[in-house]
Amino acid sequence: MKTLFFEYTLAAFPFYDEGRKLFSQVTVEDDMDDDCILETIFSWCNNGSGRECQAFLDAKIRSLSVGDIVTIGNCFSDARKYRCESQGWTRILSTSN
């Protein structure tokens, strides 16, 4: 088992504040790939999934949706960013060296 942090940043969406964030952690199996981790986070951050995490419920923010950004990693130096798509995820590669 390993523990990773995750950060969920809201994209622009009518009637909600762009840029609001949820920061929490997830404990996963050592061999889980990013797709499985992202799907776990997606279910934790969606009202009505029956799997909502307490941090999401406490934050009182809307469900994770298309265009939102999820960052996962062991620490900020190895963080990986993904954008939620209508089906699946797109990795956002860093432009910094």
Side-chain angles (χ1 to χ4, degrees), residues 24-67:
S24 192
Q25 64 184 26
V26 57
T27 301
V28 298
E29 299 292 331
D30 289 329
D31 61 350
M32 274 182 90
D33 63 14
D34 283 1
D35 285 335
C36 290
I37 294 167
L38 289 163
E39 290 307 315
T40 298
I41 293 168
F42 186 84
S43 69
W44 285 3
C45 296
N46 268 281
N47 286 314
S49 70
R51 296 186 61 207
E52 300 90 343
C53 71
Q54 194 60 50
F56 171 73
L57 295 172
D58 291 346
K60 295 183 169 76
I61 57 177
R62 66 166 171 79
S63 294
L64 203 157
S65 299
V66 171

mmCIF file of all heavy atoms in Angstrom, residues 24-67:
data_model
loop_
_atom_site.group_PDB
_atom_site.id
_atom_site.type_symbol
_atom_site.label_atom_id
_atom_site.label_comp_id
_atom_site.label_asym_id
_atom_site.label_seq_id
_atom_site.Cartn_x
_atom_site.Cartn_y
_atom_site.Cartn_z
ATOM 1 N N SER A 24 -6.438 16.375 -0.508
ATOM 2 C CA SER A 24 -6.591 15.242 0.400
ATOM 3 C C SER A 24 -5.562 14.180 0.040
ATOM 4 O O SER A 24 -4.622 14.449 -0.703
ATOM 5 C CB SER A 24 -8.015 14.680 0.311
ATOM 6 O OG SER A 24 -8.267 13.780 1.373
ATOM 7 N N GLN A 25 -5.740 12.990 0.581
ATOM 8 C CA GLN A 25 -4.830 11.905 0.254
ATOM 9 C C GLN A 25 -5.617 10.639 -0.028
ATOM 10 O O GLN A 25 -6.781 10.528 0.341
ATOM 11 C CB GLN A 25 -3.832 11.663 1.377
ATOM 12 C CG GLN A 25 -4.446 11.210 2.685
ATOM 13 C CD GLN A 25 -3.419 11.086 3.791
ATOM 14 O OE1 GLN A 25 -2.391 11.749 3.762
ATOM 15 N NE2 GLN A 25 -3.701 10.261 4.759
ATOM 16 N N VAL A 26 -4.964 9.730 -0.715
ATOM 17 C CA VAL A 26 -5.589 8.464 -1.085
ATOM 18 C C VAL A 26 -4.585 7.357 -0.803
ATOM 19 O O VAL A 26 -3.399 7.503 -1.080
ATOM 20 C CB VAL A 26 -6.040 8.477 -2.572
ATOM 21 C CG1 VAL A 26 -4.908 8.760 -3.508
ATOM 22 C CG2 VAL A 26 -6.732 7.190 -2.944
ATOM 23 N N THR A 27 -5.032 6.265 -0.199
ATOM 24 C CA THR A 27 -4.184 5.099 0.015
ATOM 25 C C THR A 27 -4.592 4.045 -1.001
ATOM 26 O O THR A 27 -5.768 3.697 -1.109
ATOM 27 C CB THR A 27 -4.336 4.558 1.451
ATOM 28 O OG1 THR A 27 -3.976 5.603 2.364
ATOM 29 C CG2 THR A 27 -3.436 3.359 1.685
ATOM 30 N N VAL A 28 -3.608 3.577 -1.766
ATOM 31 C CA VAL A 28 -3.877 2.657 -2.865
ATOM 32 C C VAL A 28 -2.898 1.485 -2.825
ATOM 33 O O VAL A 28 -1.871 1.541 -2.145
ATOM 34 C CB VAL A 28 -3.771 3.386 -4.227
ATOM 35 C CG1 VAL A 28 -4.809 4.494 -4.342
ATOM 36 C CG2 VAL A 28 -2.377 3.938 -4.459
ATOM 37 N N GLU A 29 -3.228 0.456 -3.581
ATOM 38 C CA GLU A 29 -2.318 -0.681 -3.733
ATOM 39 C C GLU A 29 -1.056 -0.217 -4.456
ATOM 40 O O GLU A 29 -1.104 0.664 -5.311
ATOM 41 C CB GLU A 29 -2.982 -1.796 -4.546
ATOM 42 C CG GLU A 29 -4.241 -2.360 -3.909
ATOM 43 C CD GLU A 29 -3.951 -3.134 -2.635
ATOM 44 O OE1 GLU A 29 -2.855 -3.708 -2.496
ATOM 45 O OE2 GLU A 29 -4.843 -3.150 -1.764
ATOM 46 N N ASP A 30 0.078 -0.830 -4.138
ATOM 47 C CA ASP A 30 1.350 -0.454 -4.756
ATOM 48 C C ASP A 30 1.325 -0.545 -6.276
ATOM 49 O O ASP A 30 1.967 0.245 -6.961
ATOM 50 C CB ASP A 30 2.488 -1.331 -4.228
ATOM 51 C CG ASP A 30 2.833 -1.011 -2.776
ATOM 52 O OD1 ASP A 30 2.670 0.154 -2.368
ATOM 53 O OD2 ASP A 30 3.271 -1.933 -2.067
ATOM 54 N N ASP A 31 0.573 -1.500 -6.812
ATOM 55 C CA ASP A 31 0.591 -1.718 -8.259
ATOM 56 C C ASP A 31 -0.524 -0.992 -9.012
ATOM 57 O O ASP A 31 -0.691 -1.179 -10.208
ATOM 58 C CB ASP A 31 0.539 -3.214 -8.573
ATOM 59 C CG ASP A 31 -0.725 -3.888 -8.044
ATOM 60 O OD1 ASP A 31 -1.480 -3.253 -7.274
ATOM 61 O OD2 ASP A 31 -0.948 -5.060 -8.401
ATOM 62 N N MET A 32 -1.286 -0.128 -8.335
ATOM 63 C CA MET A 32 -2.344 0.627 -9.020
ATOM 64 C C MET A 32 -1.730 1.661 -9.954
ATOM 65 O O MET A 32 -0.860 2.423 -9.550
ATOM 66 C CB MET A 32 -3.261 1.344 -8.023
ATOM 67 C CG MET A 32 -4.394 0.492 -7.507
ATOM 68 S SD MET A 32 -5.470 1.418 -6.381
ATOM 69 C CE MET A 32 -6.659 2.078 -7.521
ATOM 70 N N ASP A 33 -2.217 1.699 -11.204
ATOM 71 C CA ASP A 33 -1.728 2.713 -12.132
ATOM 72 C C ASP A 33 -2.555 3.991 -11.979
ATOM 73 O O ASP A 33 -3.567 4.021 -11.279
ATOM 74 C CB ASP A 33 -1.739 2.198 -13.571
ATOM 75 C CG ASP A 33 -3.121 1.865 -14.101
ATOM 76 O OD1 ASP A 33 -4.139 2.259 -13.486
ATOM 77 O OD2 ASP A 33 -3.189 1.215 -15.154
ATOM 78 N N ASP A 34 -2.111 5.052 -12.646
ATOM 79 C CA ASP A 34 -2.780 6.348 -12.504
ATOM 80 C C ASP A 34 -4.242 6.294 -12.925
ATOM 81 O O ASP A 34 -5.090 6.937 -12.311
ATOM 82 C CB ASP A 34 -2.038 7.434 -13.294
ATOM 83 C CG ASP A 34 -0.775 7.918 -12.585
ATOM 84 O OD1 ASP A 34 -0.461 7.411 -11.492
ATOM 85 O OD2 ASP A 34 -0.101 8.800 -13.142
ATOM 86 N N ASP A 35 -4.579 5.534 -13.982
ATOM 87 C CA ASP A 35 -5.979 5.447 -14.413
ATOM 88 C C ASP A 35 -6.876 4.919 -13.303
ATOM 89 O O ASP A 35 -7.966 5.455 -13.059
ATOM 90 C CB ASP A 35 -6.121 4.567 -15.661
ATOM 91 C CG ASP A 35 -5.649 5.251 -16.926
ATOM 92 O OD1 ASP A 35 -5.662 6.499 -16.970
ATOM 93 O OD2 ASP A 35 -5.263 4.543 -17.864
ATOM 94 N N CYS A 36 -6.432 3.881 -12.603
ATOM 95 C CA CYS A 36 -7.224 3.320 -11.495
ATOM 96 C C CYS A 36 -7.325 4.307 -10.337
ATOM 97 O O CYS A 36 -8.383 4.451 -9.727
ATOM 98 C CB CYS A 36 -6.609 2.007 -11.004
ATOM 99 S SG CYS A 36 -6.774 0.658 -12.186
ATOM 100 N N ILE A 37 -6.228 4.990 -10.057
ATOM 101 C CA ILE A 37 -6.223 5.985 -8.976
ATOM 102 C C ILE A 37 -7.188 7.118 -9.317
ATOM 103 O O ILE A 37 -7.985 7.556 -8.488
ATOM 104 C CB ILE A 37 -4.796 6.515 -8.730
ATOM 105 C CG1 ILE A 37 -3.903 5.388 -8.194
ATOM 106 C CG2 ILE A 37 -4.811 7.709 -7.769
ATOM 107 C CD1 ILE A 37 -2.422 5.713 -8.217
ATOM 108 N N LEU A 38 -7.145 7.597 -10.565
ATOM 109 C CA LEU A 38 -8.024 8.687 -10.996
ATOM 110 C C LEU A 38 -9.491 8.278 -10.935
ATOM 111 O O LEU A 38 -10.345 9.070 -10.521
ATOM 112 C CB LEU A 38 -7.650 9.138 -12.404
ATOM 113 C CG LEU A 38 -6.325 9.887 -12.502
ATOM 114 C CD1 LEU A 38 -5.843 9.921 -13.944
ATOM 115 C CD2 LEU A 38 -6.433 11.282 -11.924
ATOM 116 N N GLU A 39 -9.814 7.063 -11.302
ATOM 117 C CA GLU A 39 -11.200 6.602 -11.227
ATOM 118 C C GLU A 39 -11.671 6.503 -9.775
ATOM 119 O O GLU A 39 -12.834 6.786 -9.472
ATOM 120 C CB GLU A 39 -11.368 5.279 -11.963
ATOM 121 C CG GLU A 39 -11.242 5.421 -13.478
ATOM 122 C CD GLU A 39 -12.158 6.488 -14.071
ATOM 123 O OE1 GLU A 39 -13.355 6.553 -13.708
ATOM 124 O OE2 GLU A 39 -11.672 7.270 -14.917
ATOM 125 N N THR A 40 -10.767 6.121 -8.868
ATOM 126 C CA THR A 40 -11.099 6.100 -7.444
ATOM 127 C C THR A 40 -11.401 7.513 -6.954
ATOM 128 O O THR A 40 -12.412 7.760 -6.290
ATOM 129 C CB THR A 40 -9.945 5.493 -6.627
ATOM 130 O OG1 THR A 40 -9.747 4.137 -7.041
ATOM 131 C CG2 THR A 40 -10.224 5.536 -5.137
ATOM 132 N N ILE A 41 -10.535 8.462 -7.300
ATOM 133 C CA ILE A 41 -10.735 9.859 -6.905
ATOM 134 C C ILE A 41 -12.034 10.396 -7.516
ATOM 135 O O ILE A 41 -12.789 11.106 -6.846
ATOM 136 C CB ILE A 41 -9.515 10.711 -7.304
ATOM 137 C CG1 ILE A 41 -8.292 10.286 -6.469
ATOM 138 C CG2 ILE A 41 -9.810 12.202 -7.126
ATOM 139 C CD1 ILE A 41 -6.980 10.859 -6.963
ATOM 140 N N PHE A 42 -12.311 10.042 -8.770
ATOM 141 C CA PHE A 42 -13.540 10.488 -9.427
ATOM 142 C C PHE A 42 -14.768 10.048 -8.619
ATOM 143 O O PHE A 42 -15.683 10.836 -8.381
ATOM 144 C CB PHE A 42 -13.608 9.937 -10.856
ATOM 145 C CG PHE A 42 -14.762 10.462 -11.652
ATOM 146 C CD1 PHE A 42 -14.672 11.676 -12.317
ATOM 147 C CD2 PHE A 42 -15.942 9.751 -11.746
ATOM 148 C CE1 PHE A 42 -15.734 12.173 -13.051
ATOM 149 C CE2 PHE A 42 -17.019 10.240 -12.487
ATOM 150 C CZ PHE A 42 -16.911 11.454 -13.133
ATOM 151 N N SER A 43 -14.791 8.808 -8.182
ATOM 152 C CA SER A 43 -15.954 8.331 -7.415
ATOM 153 C C SER A 43 -16.025 9.001 -6.052
ATOM 154 O O SER A 43 -17.109 9.250 -5.538
ATOM 155 C CB SER A 43 -15.929 6.806 -7.277
ATOM 156 O OG SER A 43 -14.878 6.384 -6.448
ATOM 157 N N TRP A 44 -14.874 9.307 -5.456
ATOM 158 C CA TRP A 44 -14.852 9.971 -4.147
ATOM 159 C C TRP A 44 -15.349 11.406 -4.231
ATOM 160 O O TRP A 44 -15.800 11.962 -3.231
ATOM 161 C CB TRP A 44 -13.447 9.985 -3.589
ATOM 162 C CG TRP A 44 -12.950 8.684 -3.050
ATOM 163 C CD1 TRP A 44 -13.586 7.477 -3.044
ATOM 164 C CD2 TRP A 44 -11.705 8.469 -2.430
ATOM 165 N NE1 TRP A 44 -12.808 6.533 -2.463
ATOM 166 C CE2 TRP A 44 -11.641 7.107 -2.069
ATOM 167 C CE3 TRP A 44 -10.618 9.282 -2.149
ATOM 168 C CZ2 TRP A 44 -10.543 6.543 -1.442
ATOM 169 C CZ3 TRP A 44 -9.515 8.724 -1.520
ATOM 170 C CH2 TRP A 44 -9.480 7.378 -1.165
ATOM 171 N N CYS A 45 -15.223 12.015 -5.396
ATOM 172 C CA CYS A 45 -15.535 13.442 -5.546
ATOM 173 C C CYS A 45 -16.771 13.660 -6.415
ATOM 174 O O CYS A 45 -16.842 14.648 -7.159
ATOM 175 C CB CYS A 45 -14.326 14.174 -6.124
ATOM 176 S SG CYS A 45 -12.888 14.138 -5.032
ATOM 177 N N ASN A 46 -17.722 12.749 -6.333
ATOM 178 C CA ASN A 46 -18.971 12.875 -7.086
ATOM 179 C C ASN A 46 -20.160 12.580 -6.200
ATOM 180 O O ASN A 46 -20.302 11.467 -5.680
ATOM 181 C CB ASN A 46 -18.963 11.942 -8.303
ATOM 182 C CG ASN A 46 -18.436 12.651 -9.511
ATOM 183 O OD1 ASN A 46 -19.158 13.405 -10.139
ATOM 184 N ND2 ASN A 46 -17.172 12.437 -9.798
ATOM 185 N N ASN A 47 -21.012 13.589 -6.050
ATOM 186 C CA ASN A 47 -22.248 13.406 -5.288
ATOM 187 C C ASN A 47 -23.077 12.297 -5.910
ATOM 188 O O ASN A 47 -23.214 12.233 -7.123
ATOM 189 C CB ASN A 47 -23.067 14.702 -5.268
ATOM 190 C CG ASN A 47 -22.460 15.739 -4.360
ATOM 191 O OD1 ASN A 47 -22.075 15.427 -3.243
ATOM 192 N ND2 ASN A 47 -22.357 16.961 -4.842
ATOM 193 N N GLY A 48 -23.581 11.418 -5.058
ATOM 194 C CA GLY A 48 -24.441 10.348 -5.526
ATOM 195 C C GLY A 48 -23.729 9.061 -5.872
ATOM 196 O O GLY A 48 -24.372 8.075 -6.201
ATOM 197 N N SER A 49 -22.388 9.055 -5.802
ATOM 198 C CA SER A 49 -21.655 7.839 -6.149
ATOM 199 C C SER A 49 -21.766 6.775 -5.055
ATOM 200 O O SER A 49 -21.541 5.604 -5.300
ATOM 201 C CB SER A 49 -20.167 8.146 -6.393
ATOM 202 O OG SER A 49 -19.522 8.491 -5.175
ATOM 203 N N GLY A 50 -22.102 7.227 -3.848
ATOM 204 C CA GLY A 50 -22.121 6.309 -2.716
ATOM 205 C C GLY A 50 -20.738 6.035 -2.153
ATOM 206 O O GLY A 50 -20.585 5.278 -1.203
ATOM 207 N N ARG A 51 -19.706 6.654 -2.748
ATOM 208 C CA ARG A 51 -18.326 6.452 -2.298
ATOM 209 C C ARG A 51 -17.650 7.786 -1.962
ATOM 210 O O ARG A 51 -16.428 7.851 -1.885
ATOM 211 C CB ARG A 51 -17.534 5.732 -3.392
ATOM 212 C CG ARG A 51 -18.065 4.333 -3.675
ATOM 213 C CD ARG A 51 -17.202 3.578 -4.645
ATOM 214 N NE ARG A 51 -15.861 3.412 -4.094
ATOM 215 C CZ ARG A 51 -14.772 3.272 -4.839
ATOM 216 N NH1 ARG A 51 -14.849 3.267 -6.143
ATOM 217 N NH2 ARG A 51 -13.593 3.128 -4.267
ATOM 218 N N GLU A 52 -18.426 8.844 -1.766
ATOM 219 C CA GLU A 52 -17.853 10.165 -1.517
ATOM 220 C C GLU A 52 -16.925 10.129 -0.300
ATOM 221 O O GLU A 52 -17.251 9.542 0.717
ATOM 222 C CB GLU A 52 -18.954 11.196 -1.267
ATOM 223 C CG GLU A 52 -19.925 11.370 -2.394
ATOM 224 C CD GLU A 52 -21.133 10.452 -2.323
ATOM 225 O OE1 GLU A 52 -21.088 9.443 -1.583
ATOM 226 O OE2 GLU A 52 -22.110 10.721 -3.009
ATOM 227 N N CYS A 53 -15.765 10.780 -0.424
ATOM 228 C CA CYS A 53 -14.844 10.859 0.717
ATOM 229 C C CYS A 53 -15.256 12.028 1.614
ATOM 230 O O CYS A 53 -15.904 12.985 1.171
ATOM 231 C CB CYS A 53 -13.402 10.986 0.249
ATOM 232 S SG CYS A 53 -12.937 12.546 -0.498
ATOM 233 N N GLN A 54 -14.878 11.955 2.869
ATOM 234 C CA GLN A 54 -15.269 12.973 3.841
ATOM 235 C C GLN A 54 -14.723 14.351 3.475
ATOM 236 O O GLN A 54 -15.404 15.358 3.647
ATOM 237 C CB GLN A 54 -14.830 12.571 5.254
ATOM 238 C CG GLN A 54 -15.492 13.399 6.335
ATOM 239 C CD GLN A 54 -17.014 13.279 6.305
ATOM 240 O OE1 GLN A 54 -17.556 12.179 6.272
ATOM 241 N NE2 GLN A 54 -17.707 14.404 6.310
ATOM 242 N N ALA A 55 -13.496 14.409 2.950
ATOM 243 C CA ALA A 55 -12.918 15.708 2.563
ATOM 244 C C ALA A 55 -13.778 16.394 1.506
ATOM 245 O O ALA A 55 -13.992 17.606 1.551
ATOM 246 C CB ALA A 55 -11.494 15.520 2.056
ATOM 247 N N PHE A 56 -14.297 15.629 0.554
ATOM 248 C CA PHE A 56 -15.172 16.177 -0.482
ATOM 249 C C PHE A 56 -16.476 16.672 0.130
ATOM 250 O O PHE A 56 -16.933 17.781 -0.160
ATOM 251 C CB PHE A 56 -15.446 15.113 -1.559
ATOM 252 C CG PHE A 56 -16.512 15.519 -2.536
ATOM 253 C CD1 PHE A 56 -16.262 16.478 -3.497
ATOM 254 C CD2 PHE A 56 -17.764 14.942 -2.488
ATOM 255 C CE1 PHE A 56 -17.248 16.867 -4.402
ATOM 256 C CE2 PHE A 56 -18.759 15.311 -3.387
ATOM 257 C CZ PHE A 56 -18.491 16.280 -4.343
ATOM 258 N N LEU A 57 -17.074 15.887 0.990
ATOM 259 C CA LEU A 57 -18.336 16.285 1.625
ATOM 260 C C LEU A 57 -18.144 17.537 2.471
ATOM 261 O O LEU A 57 -18.984 18.444 2.451
ATOM 262 C CB LEU A 57 -18.879 15.129 2.474
ATOM 263 C CG LEU A 57 -19.283 13.874 1.698
ATOM 264 C CD1 LEU A 57 -19.620 12.749 2.658
ATOM 265 C CD2 LEU A 57 -20.429 14.158 0.747
ATOM 266 N N ASP A 58 -17.035 17.609 3.203
ATOM 267 C CA ASP A 58 -16.759 18.771 4.053
ATOM 268 C C ASP A 58 -16.509 20.040 3.238
ATOM 269 O O ASP A 58 -16.828 21.138 3.682
ATOM 270 C CB ASP A 58 -15.552 18.505 4.956
ATOM 271 C CG ASP A 58 -15.829 17.457 6.018
ATOM 272 O OD1 ASP A 58 -17.010 17.117 6.252
ATOM 273 O OD2 ASP A 58 -14.853 16.950 6.607
ATOM 274 N N ALA A 59 -15.912 19.896 2.047
ATOM 275 C CA ALA A 59 -15.567 21.060 1.217
ATOM 276 C C ALA A 59 -16.800 21.732 0.612
ATOM 277 O O ALA A 59 -16.744 22.891 0.225
ATOM 278 C CB ALA A 59 -14.608 20.645 0.106
ATOM 279 N N LYS A 60 -17.904 20.977 0.504
ATOM 280 C CA LYS A 60 -19.142 21.523 -0.058
ATOM 281 C C LYS A 60 -18.911 22.162 -1.427
ATOM 282 O O LYS A 60 -19.312 23.301 -1.688
ATOM 283 C CB LYS A 60 -19.781 22.516 0.906
ATOM 284 C CG LYS A 60 -20.244 21.871 2.190
ATOM 285 C CD LYS A 60 -20.929 22.880 3.089
ATOM 286 C CE LYS A 60 -21.615 22.254 4.241
ATOM 287 N NZ LYS A 60 -20.904 21.779 5.330
ATOM 288 N N ILE A 61 -18.246 21.413 -2.296
ATOM 289 C CA ILE A 61 -18.020 21.867 -3.660
ATOM 290 C C ILE A 61 -18.743 20.922 -4.611
ATOM 291 O O ILE A 61 -19.179 19.843 -4.215
ATOM 292 C CB ILE A 61 -16.514 21.943 -4.006
ATOM 293 C CG1 ILE A 61 -15.827 20.578 -3.787
ATOM 294 C CG2 ILE A 61 -15.839 23.031 -3.195
ATOM 295 C CD1 ILE A 61 -14.357 20.565 -4.167
ATOM 296 N N ARG A 62 -18.868 21.348 -5.860
ATOM 297 C CA ARG A 62 -19.571 20.529 -6.836
ATOM 298 C C ARG A 62 -18.753 19.284 -7.171
ATOM 299 O O ARG A 62 -17.563 19.205 -6.890
ATOM 300 C CB ARG A 62 -19.862 21.327 -8.090
ATOM 301 C CG ARG A 62 -18.617 21.731 -8.862
ATOM 302 C CD ARG A 62 -18.986 22.219 -10.257
ATOM 303 N NE ARG A 62 -17.856 22.794 -10.933
ATOM 304 C CZ ARG A 62 -16.885 22.099 -11.524
ATOM 305 N NH1 ARG A 62 -16.889 20.794 -11.483
ATOM 306 N NH2 ARG A 62 -15.891 22.713 -12.132
ATOM 307 N N SER A 63 -19.402 18.347 -7.808
ATOM 308 C CA SER A 63 -18.754 17.105 -8.219
ATOM 309 C C SER A 63 -17.672 17.361 -9.260
ATOM 310 O O SER A 63 -17.733 18.319 -10.034
ATOM 311 C CB SER A 63 -19.783 16.148 -8.818
ATOM 312 O OG SER A 63 -20.705 15.734 -7.848
ATOM 313 N N LEU A 64 -16.687 16.485 -9.271
ATOM 314 C CA LEU A 64 -15.630 16.522 -10.262
ATOM 315 C C LEU A 64 -16.255 16.377 -11.649
ATOM 316 O O LEU A 64 -17.092 15.506 -11.863
ATOM 317 C CB LEU A 64 -14.660 15.365 -9.980
ATOM 318 C CG LEU A 64 -13.242 15.477 -10.501
ATOM 319 C CD1 LEU A 64 -12.341 14.577 -9.680
ATOM 320 C CD2 LEU A 64 -13.122 15.154 -11.945
ATOM 321 N N SER A 65 -15.879 17.256 -12.571
ATOM 322 C CA SER A 65 -16.522 17.309 -13.886
ATOM 323 C C SER A 65 -15.497 17.513 -14.994
ATOM 324 O O SER A 65 -14.331 17.814 -14.727
ATOM 325 C CB SER A 65 -17.520 18.473 -13.937
ATOM 326 O OG SER A 65 -18.521 18.316 -12.972
ATOM 327 N N VAL A 66 -15.961 17.401 -16.221
ATOM 328 C CA VAL A 66 -15.117 17.624 -17.390
ATOM 329 C C VAL A 66 -14.414 18.975 -17.274
ATOM 330 O O VAL A 66 -15.035 19.979 -16.931
ATOM 331 C CB VAL A 66 -15.962 17.569 -18.685
ATOM 332 C CG1 VAL A 66 -15.160 18.016 -19.896
ATOM 333 C CG2 VAL A 66 -16.523 16.172 -18.887
ATOM 334 N N GLY A 67 -13.122 18.981 -17.540
ATOM 335 C CA GLY A 67 -12.323 20.204 -17.488
ATOM 336 C C GLY A 67 -11.609 20.418 -16.172
ATOM 337 O O GLY A 67 -10.663 21.200 -16.103
#
